[in-house]
Amino acid sequence: MARRGTPSSTGRPTGTGPSGPRNRTPQPVRLRRRTFGDVVKAFLAFVVLLVLVVGVPGALAVTVGWPLPRSAPSMDWLSQPIDVQTFLNALTVVVWLAWAQFTACVLVEVKAAVSGVGLPGRVPGAGPSQLLARQLVAALLLVGATAASLTPGLSQLGHSLEGNQKGTVATAQATPGILAQQQEQAKNTAAALAEQASHVSAQAEQGSTATHGATKYYRIQPPEGRHHDSLWEIAQRHLGDGRRYKEIYELNKDRVQPDGSRLSEASLIRPSWIMEMPGDAHGGELVENPDAHVSPEVRQQIGDYARTGDHAQQQHQHQEHREQGGGQHAGEEGATARITAPGPRQSGDTGAPAAHAQESSGHSSFGLPEALLGAPLLAAGLLAALGRRRRQALWQSALGAVGGRRGMEPPIPTGDAQDVQDALLVGADPDGVRLLDRSLRGLAAALTAESRSLPVVYAAWLSHGDLHLQLAQPAGKPPAPWQLGQDQTFWTLSRADAERYEDTDAAAPYPGLVSLGTMDDSRLLLNLEAVPGIVSLSGREADRAAVFASVAAELATNGWSDRMTITLVGFGAELTPLAPSRLRHLDDVEALFETMEAETRQRRGALGAADHHSVLTGRTGPAQHTRWAPNLVLLAGRPSDQDALRLAELAADAGRLGIGYLVGTESGDLPGAAWAMEITPDGRLLAPLLGLELQAQLLPAVQQRAVVELFVEADPERDPDGPTTTPPFLVDISEQGRPAVYARLVGPYEIIGLDTPDGERSALLHEALALLLLHREGVHPRVLSSALWPRGVTEDVRDALLERLRGWLGTDPDGSPRLRADAAGRLTLAKSVVSDLDVLRSLYHEATQGKGVDSRAVRGRLLTDALVLVRGPLLADRAEGRYRWLTHEIIDAQLPLLVADIGLALSAFHLEKDRAEKAIEALGAALKTAPADERLWNELLRATHATGDPERLRALAVDLVARSGARGLPPRTEALLDELLPAWRDGAAATG
């Protein structure tokens, strides 16, 4: 019998013949009148079952009798000729065995059909027999009271029963050798993910529904073969669009089902559950205001269920009312920029900054790229990596330069790069990254303590502030505080439990997790290294490129991985500056085969030598930090069919080796692909067979170039002179340049020239002013908003604060406000508002590059004045929980280096005149702010040596050795001590 093709995401049939995928469209439950044909079919089925189950053994007993010898045969029996009776006896034994197998099939099918739950057991080797038994039992039960809800249609007669013991599955394409087996395994596990994916997502958007006619209901059918019913497929059949599954979900969530359970965000639909359908649902399988055509039991169940509808609707309306009245908290979490109706606030969801960006901007993005605003984990990774790159440039400049020729200021981005930097600051969710990392490492540490291996994880969902790990198969009870989710393949950790985790030295267990997008208010991370085969991505070239760039950038910079390799094939050479140690570029597919065939062999051998089944068993225990880093291959261009099959063979064992493959294709028919996804022009990521429809996470070409520009500009190897030497804002340090408003940030926070604001907003006003003072180039309003309210705020609240800040700062004598906006809309301060950090930078600049260059006296006075300004660390008395935006800044690295430079310059100034004590005093003052600067300690050794007091120098050496601890002295310091005090090692050893 021909098989019907299942519509793909593009609307084309995916196959119609034996080599195509199995039909995943379920045969709906038919609640209808019993016809004369049903009675005839049932009668014939009864007759056939009676003949096969009772008649066959009776006929055998009467006509043949007992076919086996009644006593143990002798060895002579083997040499006797085979007569007709012997042949008949042997044939009778075969018939008896076949009868026993068929009878077992009938019993299994009757039990499964009557119970209505679970899958029928699979009788070994009984494919055709069990299929026949199923159809006969189904036909017989057609006349029963609950037959319609228990039996598949007879139209399925002739379909294969293969794999009946599996979960939902799409049959793999016919590929040679191990590939075919691996494809089948991949489809099995992919379908398991499909059944559950939509149920982990939180509350869906409520779609508009045409409600006309009588109320209609649908009863979930039990599994048939390898197929399970799903809301997507029900919507596809009865509403014409699988994406309308959300409407069915909204109508039925939290309503009590006949078995006492409820449909919720963490539940799977179950056989015999009842679903109220939208008014425009169509199809003969539906029941309208249950009539007499269904059994009394079903009619009673549907009637009871219908009475719960008003309550559910009232509950939903009440929730909507709370959402609309939530003020600044409405719609803050888990939405990308393209979602128009974000869900309610979810405590701790990693989508917080993204949704906050959407809300606080109203209906405009203010020029910031929405793609990064809606990618909180990607933005956090890029921002952290960029900060590390800039700090590295500062340190290399400080250690490698001489005198005043080095600078402390990274270049200020402009244009698209400035917009992207602002978007990163607004969209980043470092807390979400931190919790995800700690949670996963904590899980690995707990499993190690219990001598258990890591389970295979296909995906992670961040939803309602909770973390859900979706396992490939049940792995027992998770270690506390993790709990089982809606079934045995979900391990769940609440936000409250995640926040109790501390840092651990466990290896990153799932470094291959990468964000794909959001479904409603849940964010999906797919574990690329665990997918059993190739993941294909179809769509337009530009859209695919945006997905690939996003995946590559997040994998290269994420905070939940230790080591990994991302292999970019045929694209992405320009992305390597993001993480040169992680990103590797190959020119073409041939280079990929050459590289990956060798690596695959090497990994197989290493696993065998270590007696590990997979890389996961090597990420717990003693070897966790020494091996098993993943290699994730991103191939953006479609390979030829021959290369695709070759790649699929290579990827057949990739899941256990820690190798993942994401391959692009123009259409969705990549040979050998295990999972298929499609990116649409409007930014949706579709995978119908996986049950996924996501708002995709993208990094379009313009933002990609701007991100790369930020990293290139911060590269310490790009410019041998390091950062620029000129501060972004120079103040008039003469007596005539006295500012109207002076803020002391270096040390305790003080403001001179303004009255202290009254009320609770005083702290916010102070924090906003500090942020503006540290960014004289200007601050985007959304950056200011996200810094002050990390969990989001409405636009009117932000604007009200800015008005208060503007009024607090006042105006200059010419009437111009001291808080203003530049041409791009960024907030800037007037030159009359100055901080001590501005003065500190200006004094040092003037001493080393201005008037102090030609006048020794001026240089000494400027450097001394600068060092006097240093009263401690930046904002030393800031309240706990505030100024968290400082973690995104590099001022914590700039200020100690600047103070160290001032101390070194002043020390050199005094040593020129042999004033060693003055030099020691200057260095000591600088060490209070920069105690870890090796340059200050080395200069202190020279200044102490200049006093001519060996004992004082020896005491300083002993103090340095004690401070260094187990790490020991830096090589430069050791070399300097060898020069100044050759016997220092003996003194240090004696003291120790």
Side-chain angles (χ1 to χ4, degrees):
M1 182 177 294
R3 296 174 183 168
R4 295 177 295 175
T6 303
S8 68
S9 58
T10 59
R12 298 184 302 270
T14 59
T16 57
S19 62
R22 284 288 304 275
N23 176 18
R24 289 183 50 81
T25 303
Q27 296 303 309
V29 176
R30 300 190 175 276
L31 297 176
R32 54 185 175 82
R33 295 176 180 271
R34 291 190 298 274
T35 65
F36 178 74
D38 294 335
V39 176
V40 172
K41 291 178 182 178
F43 176 74
L44 294 176
F46 174 76
V47 172
V48 173
L49 283 173
L50 188 64
V51 170
L52 293 178
V53 176
V54 179
V56 169
L60 289 174
V62 172
T63 59
V64 179
W66 183 252
L68 298 177
R70 299 185 181 278
S71 61
S74 64
M75 295 300 295
D76 297 337
W77 178 80
L78 296 176
S79 60
Q80 294 178 358
I82 300 177
D83 54 16
V84 174
Q85 187 61 40
T86 303
F87 176 77
L88 289 176
N89 288 341
L91 183 60
T92 302
V93 171
V94 174
V95 176
W96 272 107
L97 292 175
W99 170 84
Q101 185 187 60
F102 177 77
T103 302
C105 293
V106 171
L107 295 176
V108 167
E109 293 298 327
V110 169
K111 178 182 181 298
V114 172
S115 65
V117 295
L119 292 172
R122 185 173 183 269
V123 179
S129 297
Q130 190 165 1
L131 181 61
L132 177 60
R134 171 175 299 177
Q135 301 307 319
L136 293 173
V137 171
L140 180 61
L141 290 178
L142 278 174
V143 298
T146 59
S149 64
L150 298 174
T151 62
L154 292 178
S155 61
Q156 296 300 303
L157 185 60
H159 284 200
S160 171
L161 191 67
E162 176 185 345
N164 199 31
Q165 77 279 14
K166 301 291 184 182
T168 56
V169 64
T171 304
Q173 294 181 357
T175 51
I178 189 175
L179 175 59
Q181 301 175 5
Q182 182 62 28
Q183 287 281 310
E184 181 70 16
Q185 178 188 0
K187 301 289 182 167
N188 289 344
T189 51
L193 176 63
E195 293 175 13
Q196 301 162 349
S198 61
H199 300 290
V200 182
S201 62
Q203 180 183 350
E205 302 173 51
Q206 183 176 8
S208 59
T209 305
T211 58
H212 61 274
T215 306
K216 302 175 183 179
Y217 297 90
Y218 177 88
R219 198 164 188 235
I220 304 300
Q221 67 172 345
E224 178 192 353
R226 295 178 294 175
H227 169 74
H228 288 246
D229 220 343
S230 71
L231 292 182
W232 177 287
E233 292 172 330
I234 295 170
Q236 184 70 40
R237 294 195 307 275
H238 300 297
L239 299 177
D241 187 351
R243 290 167 293 187
R244 291 185 63 186
Y245 76 93
K246 302 173 184 177
E247 300 175 30
I248 306 175
Y249 175 83
E250 287 297 327
L251 286 172
N252 297 278
K253 67 186 181 73
D254 298 326
R255 294 170 64 177
V256 178
Q257 293 290 338
D259 62 0
S261 55
R262 300 172 186 263
L263 173 66
S264 70
E265 66 206 9
S267 297
L268 296 171
I269 61 174
R270 301 175 184 172
S272 299
W273 274 13
I274 298 165
M275 295 289 114
E276 181 179 339
M277 300 293 289
D280 61 337
H282 56 273
E285 304 84 12
L286 302 176
V287 178
E288 296 185 2
N289 281 340
D291 53 29
H293 303 316
V294 298
S295 68
E297 178 186 1
V298 174
R299 188 162 59 249
Q300 180 65 38
Q301 290 177 354
I302 295 179
D304 293 341
Y305 186 74
R307 285 190 288 273
T308 67
D310 292 339
H311 169 72
Q313 183 64 24
Q314 291 171 4
Q315 185 182 44
H316 178 61
Q317 291 174 351
H318 175 65
Q319 183 174 0
E320 285 186 331
H321 175 73
R322 287 190 295 108
E323 294 170 12
Q324 295 170 359
Q328 70 183 59
H329 300 296
E332 294 176 358
E333 303 282 348
T336 64
R338 306 191 68 90
I339 294 180
T340 58
R345 173 166 176 78
Q346 303 165 11
S347 175
D349 191 358
T350 58
H356 151 67
Q358 172 79 5
E359 181 188 7
S360 60
S361 66
H363 299 287
S364 169
S365 66
F366 279 94
L368 299 186
E370 295 286 3
L372 289 171
L373 295 177
L377 304 184
L378 169 61
L382 288 171
L383 198 60
L386 182 60
R388 289 192 297 269
R389 184 70 55 84
R390 287 174 172 171
R391 287 179 175 86
Q392 184 183 7
L394 285 175
W395 295 327
Q396 290 193 13
S397 176
L399 293 175
V402 179
R405 288 186 292 135
R406 65 181 165 273
M408 290 293 105
E409 304 301 328
I412 297 175
T414 58
D416 289 338
Q418 187 177 25
D419 289 340
V420 160
Q421 178 172 277
D422 287 341
L424 294 178
L425 290 167
V426 174
D429 183 15
D431 285 342
V433 172
R434 176 179 57 85
L435 287 177
L436 177 62
D437 181 45
R438 286 184 174 180
S439 299
L440 295 177
R441 294 180 192 269
L443 174 63
L447 290 172
T448 298
E450 297 179 5
S451 300
R452 296 169 61 185
S453 297
L454 291 165
V456 177
V457 169
Y458 279 150
W461 290 90
L462 294 170
S463 176
H464 287 254
D466 299 339
L467 173 60
H468 306 262
L469 296 184
Q470 201 158 347
L471 312 185
Q473 58 188 7
K477 184 179 180 181
W482 290 78
Q483 298 178 350
L484 287 174
Q486 66 262 33
D487 62 26
Q488 296 290 324
T489 61
F490 273 86
W491 286 4
T492 301
L493 182 70
S494 68
R495 172 74 182 240
D497 290 331
E499 288 177 339
R500 288 195 283 268
Y501 269 121
E502 301 292 339
D503 290 329
T504 177
D505 62 350
Y510 303 112
L513 286 169
V514 64
S515 302
L516 291 185
T518 56
M519 176 186 287
D520 304 322
D521 46 7
S522 297
R523 184 168 301 277
L524 170 67
L525 290 86
L526 182 68
N527 190 6
L528 279 179
E529 71 165 333
V531 176
I534 297 173
V535 179
S536 71
L537 177 67
S538 61
R540 299 187 311 183
E541 182 178 2
D543 299 324
R544 297 199 318 268
V547 174
F548 274 89
S550 170
V551 169
E554 184 170 298
L555 288 172
T557 61
N558 72 52
W560 54 87
S561 302
D562 294 327
R563 298 176 299 114
M564 71 166 59
T565 300
I566 303 105
T567 302
L568 311 178
V569 185
F571 86 105
E574 67 281 359
L575 292 174
T576 53
L578 301 183
S581 62
R582 286 192 180 185
L583 289 167
R584 172 177 63 182
H585 177 260
L586 299 178
D587 292 329
D588 51 35
V589 177
E590 285 304 317
L592 172 67
F593 284 134
E594 180 180 353
T595 301
M596 296 310 300
E597 285 174 350
E599 180 165 344
T600 299
R601 288 193 301 269
Q602 188 273 333
R603 289 194 176 219
R604 283 176 179 157
L607 282 175
D611 196 24
H612 289 308
H613 174 264
S614 73
V615 295
L616 292 179
T617 57
R619 288 188 184 145
T620 53
Q624 58 180 314
H625 290 289
T626 59
R627 60 184 73 172
W628 322 124
N631 187 344
L632 305 175
V633 177
L634 308 182
L635 175 58
R638 187 189 193 281
S640 66
D641 288 352
Q642 181 179 359
D643 286 340
L645 290 174
R646 183 181 175 189
L647 189 63
E649 289 280 3
L650 190 63
D653 202 24
R656 74 180 190 92
L657 301 178
I659 303 174
Y661 293 88
L662 179 61
V663 181
T665 176
E666 291 80 6
S667 60
D669 57 351
L670 183 70
W675 293 357
M677 300 185 296
E678 176 191 1
I679 179 66
T680 66
D682 61 349
R684 291 179 299 121
L685 193 67
L686 306 179
L689 291 183
L690 297 180
L692 298 177
E693 180 187 359
L694 305 174
Q695 192 66 39
Q697 179 171 293
L698 307 172
L699 186 59
V702 175
Q703 284 82 57
Q704 177 184 329
R705 288 192 295 269
V707 166
V708 172
E709 180 183 339
L710 290 174
F711 278 79
V712 170
E713 289 293 330
D715 188 354
E717 305 298 331
R718 181 173 180 267
D719 184 357
D721 292 332
T724 180
T725 60
T726 304
F729 178 68
L730 291 172
V731 302
D732 184 356
I733 57 177
S734 67
E735 193 65 27
Q736 293 74 25
R738 185 179 297 273
V741 178
Y742 182 65
R744 305 179 73 180
L745 305 179
V746 184
Y749 192 1
E750 299 177 17
I751 298 179
I752 301 172
L754 292 176
D755 295 332
T756 301
D758 296 329
E760 299 177 354
R761 298 183 181 88
S762 176
L764 278 175
L765 292 173
H766 280 77
E767 187 173 355
L769 179 58
L771 177 62
L772 291 167
L773 286 168
L774 292 177
H775 290 277
R776 302 304 304 227
E777 73 278 9
V779 176
H780 196 287
R782 296 182 68 175
V783 173
L784 178 68
S785 178
S786 64
L788 299 180
W789 293 281
R791 296 192 177 277
V793 71
T794 55
E795 184 178 347
D796 57 340
V797 173
R798 181 200 65 198
D799 291 344
L801 178 79
L802 290 179
E803 284 303 315
R804 293 187 184 93
L805 180 60
R806 187 174 288 109
W808 181 45
L809 293 176
T811 60
D812 284 333
D814 61 0
S816 60
R818 291 172 181 150
L819 176 63
R820 57 194 69 172
D822 62 14
R826 287 178 170 81
L827 302 169
T828 61
L829 294 172
K831 293 183 178 180
S832 58
V833 183
V834 173
S835 73
D836 55 354
L837 185 59
D838 297 327
V839 177
L840 188 67
R841 288 166 166 163
S842 299
L843 288 171
Y844 178 66
H845 178 78
E846 193 67 23
T848 56
Q849 300 180 55
K851 297 177 181 178
V853 175
D854 300 323
S855 172
R856 171 181 167 80
V858 171
R859 182 168 73 254
R861 176 174 57 81
L862 292 174
L863 291 173
T864 301
D865 290 346
L867 202 55
V868 169
L869 287 176
V870 180
R871 301 174 300 125
L874 188 76
L875 299 168
D877 59 350
R878 61 181 180 266
E880 184 179 357
R882 303 212 66 89
Y883 299 88
R884 300 180 67 178
W885 46 269
L886 283 172
T887 58
H888 301 318
E889 307 283 342
I890 62 168
I891 185 63
D892 60 335
Q894 288 176 302
L895 181 59
L897 289 175
L898 176 59
V899 173
D901 282 349
I902 294 172
L904 292 170
L906 188 55
S907 173
F909 171 82
H910 288 305
L911 288 177
E912 288 177 2
K913 296 297 184 179
D914 296 327
R915 295 198 290 264
E917 293 297 338
K918 289 287 186 180
I920 292 173
E921 181 181 349
L923 294 168
L927 279 168
K928 293 179 181 179
T929 301
D933 197 305
E934 180 188 354
R935 299 172 302 155
L936 289 175
W937 289 107
N938 291 347
E939 193 64 22
L940 184 60
L941 286 172
R942 294 188 181 94
T944 304
H945 180 265
T947 63
D949 187 347
E951 290 302 321
R952 188 175 179 181
L953 181 60
R954 186 173 293 106
L956 178 59
V958 170
D959 183 44
L960 277 177
V961 171
R963 287 174 179 270
S964 63
R967 294 175 300 174
L969 292 174
R972 292 188 183 186
T973 304
E974 282 194 358
L976 181 59
L977 278 173
D978 288 339
E979 175 187 347
L980 301 179
L981 189 66
W984 72 273
R985 298 177 190 275
D986 297 335
T991 303

